[in-house]
Amino acid sequence: MPLSVFLVPIYTRPTPGSWSQLVSAGLIGGKGVPASVRAHPRLFLTLTAPSFGAVHARRTDGSCRPGPQPSCSHGRSLQCQTRHDEKDLKVGSPLCDACFDYVDAVLWNAEASRLWNRTLEQIRRRLAAHLAPGLDDNPPGFRLSYLKVAEFQRRGLVHFHVVLRLDGGGEAFNPPPRELTTEMLSIIIKDVVGEFSITTPHGEIAWGPQFELSDASALERDDLRIAGYLAKYATKSIDGTKDFARSFRARSNITSLNGSSHLRQLALTAWDLALEPEFEEMNLRAHAHAFGHRGQLITKSRHYSTRFLDLRATRASYMARESTGDPMSGTFIFEGRGYDDPHTVEVAEFLHWLSLEAKKSAPRPHATAGEEQ
Ligand SMILES: [Zn+2]
Ligand SMILES: [Zn+2]
């Protein structure tokens, strides 16, 4: 297989610090966002995919599926007494390949970003209805901003880590109307995520039952914790397989991979589905390395915090000053993409850590904005 590498100028590559600055600016201010946003309702949300078949797992107590389990229709046991090591390739792979619904799993990945966009639209609509019942023509004065990171679970299904923040309307970062509290936002999100689905030509697409919601204002001395985390993270080495780091050019690129046969099968399913006329317009072949997922790995709404472009421009002008004055003559390095994009993994881990911290230090389930102010 010919080795092809994506080359990007080093200064355009977001550093671990810059991605996390982007996240933390929207939470605690900085990079043009005022520190007063700390008093706004801010939530961490994790959304997952539903089940497409029983898979090996590594639960918090280290077990997989120890209890009595029925056999599947292919006569295979769905019980597993093994305590899997974290590196065990079995984790995330199905107990029975024939039972796992590869087609629906790939189609779920393919539609997940659209499901998110429609879910967000629905949350905004319900907030508007809460603020001004029956008033459809004049949109009420609030803005729901977000930053979303897509991350792949071991089973090859995408899940989303999202930071949400409520502001007032307009261009400034004013507080939202008093009626729109953290508690109200939490209730609406739980309702919408639990019941919302989109209709596609291939069936209904909905979120999985496992989802997490925590209040970012429960973070104590959030600025220090975030800074401490970043310092710790900056020294962490990032490695991992590059098997799914870029799109495939031939089916044999996939079949020749070593590693998890489950992930290979997901990629092959996406590749082969593209041959069928009804899936043609989904361009699944170009996304076989992401198991069908077609969205960006990191997305944000315009007002969440500084733009990716601004971070790049700052770095480019800095590099230009430091070197010969030509920002294009720099060192070129490999930029991983897709499944193993280390920056996405980093931001995803950062968000996951923040949400765990928020949960840990939460003095109460949901603080209201009223209590904050
Ligand atoms: Zn197992
Ligand atoms: Zn089976």
Side-chain angles (χ1 to χ4, degrees):
M1 185 177 89
L3 179 72
S4 64
V5 221
F6 289 85
L7 294 171
V8 294
I10 193 165
Y11 62 81
T12 65
R13 186 177 69 104
T15 61
S18 67
W19 286 117
S20 302
Q21 273 171 17
L22 203 71
V23 179
S24 62
L27 278 170
I28 62 171
K31 299 274 163 197
V33 181
S36 57
V37 296
R38 292 174 199 214
H40 297 198
R42 298 160 303 155
L43 292 172
F44 298 123
L45 171 66
T46 303
L47 295 164
T48 60
S51 170
F52 295 97
V55 296
H56 291 278
R58 194 168 171 273
R59 302 181 201 289
T60 33
D61 65 355
S63 70
C64 181
R65 296 170 62 87
Q69 304 277 350
S71 293
C72 76
S73 58
H74 307 95
R76 292 182 202 159
S77 167
L78 297 180
Q79 189 188 56
C80 176
Q81 303 280 4
T82 313
R83 296 174 80 82
H84 298 285
D85 183 68
E86 198 178 340
K87 288 183 181 158
D88 190 342
L89 290 179
K90 261 191 165 182
V91 176
S93 67
L95 281 101
C96 172
D97 295 352
C99 277
F100 193 87
D101 194 338
Y102 282 94
V103 171
D104 278 359
V106 164
L107 292 176
W108 194 92
N109 276 342
E111 296 286 7
S113 291
R114 197 158 71 88
L115 176 61
W116 162 252
N117 289 333
R118 296 285 311 281
T119 301
L120 186 70
E121 193 182 293
Q122 190 64 19
I123 293 169
R124 285 181 173 140
R125 210 173 275 172
R126 294 216 194 163
L127 283 167
H130 176 73
L131 196 59
L135 194 69
D136 291 337
D137 292 342
N138 275 326
F142 73 89
R143 197 169 59 212
L144 182 62
S145 297
Y146 75 92
L147 181 140
K148 167 174 81 65
V149 185
E151 190 191 20
F152 285 93
Q153 294 174 298
R154 295 285 292 267
R155 60 182 175 139
L157 270 299
V158 76
H159 70 171
F160 295 137
H161 294 289
V162 193
V163 186
L164 290 147
R165 190 189 67 231
L166 261 177
D167 301 329
E171 287 297 306
F173 293 87
N174 295 321
R178 294 189 67 82
E179 297 92 322
L180 300 186
T181 59
T182 305
E183 196 172 27
M184 179 49 59
L185 180 59
S186 306
I187 292 169
I188 288 175
I189 289 174
K190 277 182 191 162
D191 285 351
V192 172
V193 169
E195 67 191 33
F196 189 69
S197 65
I198 55 172
T199 308
T200 75
H202 328 293
E204 291 284 303
I205 306 270
W207 301 109
Q210 286 186 332
F211 91 106
E212 281 182 27
L213 189 64
S214 44
D215 180 359
S217 67
L219 286 171
E220 284 166 32
R221 303 176 66 193
D222 43 11
D223 44 351
L224 293 179
R225 279 168 181 261
I226 289 170
Y229 177 85
L230 292 181
K232 189 174 129 211
Y233 205 92
T235 60
K236 189 177 165 186
S237 72
I238 299 163
D239 54 18
T241 163
K242 295 283 175 211
D243 283 355
F244 297 97
R246 58 180 183 274
S247 54
F248 297 109
R249 293 184 178 170
R251 197 175 191 276
S252 60
N253 293 162
I254 308 172
T255 52
S256 62
L257 290 175
N258 297 315
S260 160
S261 62
H262 172 60
L263 297 184
R264 208 160 52 228
Q265 188 54 44
L266 279 169
L268 282 174
T269 303
W271 184 273
D272 292 343
L273 273 178
L275 284 173
E276 297 182 25
E278 62 173 311
F279 301 114
E280 208 179 325
E281 95 287 358
M282 295 178 88
N283 197 19
L284 287 171
R285 198 158 271 192
H287 302 280
H289 65 301
F291 316 126
H293 178 55
R294 299 181 293 168
Q296 297 289 324
L297 294 175
I298 304 184
T299 53
K300 64 184 223 20
S301 56
R302 190 161 68 90
H303 288 95
Y304 175 79
S305 67
T306 188
R307 297 185 306 156
F308 297 120
L309 277 175
D310 293 341
L311 285 175
R312 275 205 285 266
T314 308
R315 185 161 295 109
S317 69
Y318 175 77
M319 290 299 284
R321 269 203 315 276
E322 290 294 293
S323 60
T324 60
D326 174 10
M328 288 312 290
S329 71
T331 314
F332 285 76
I333 58 154
F334 173 75
E335 168 75 332
R337 288 173 68 239
Y339 179 68
D340 281 310
D341 178 347
H343 307 299
T344 309
V345 172
E346 178 225 344
V347 178
E349 283 182 7
F350 179 52
L351 287 182
H352 184 63
W353 175 83
L354 283 178
S355 66
L356 288 180
E357 286 295 303
K359 208 184 247 178
K360 234 190 284 172
S361 50
R364 51 200 183 276
H366 298 295
T368 67
E371 283 164 359
E372 287 276 321
Q373 286 157 1

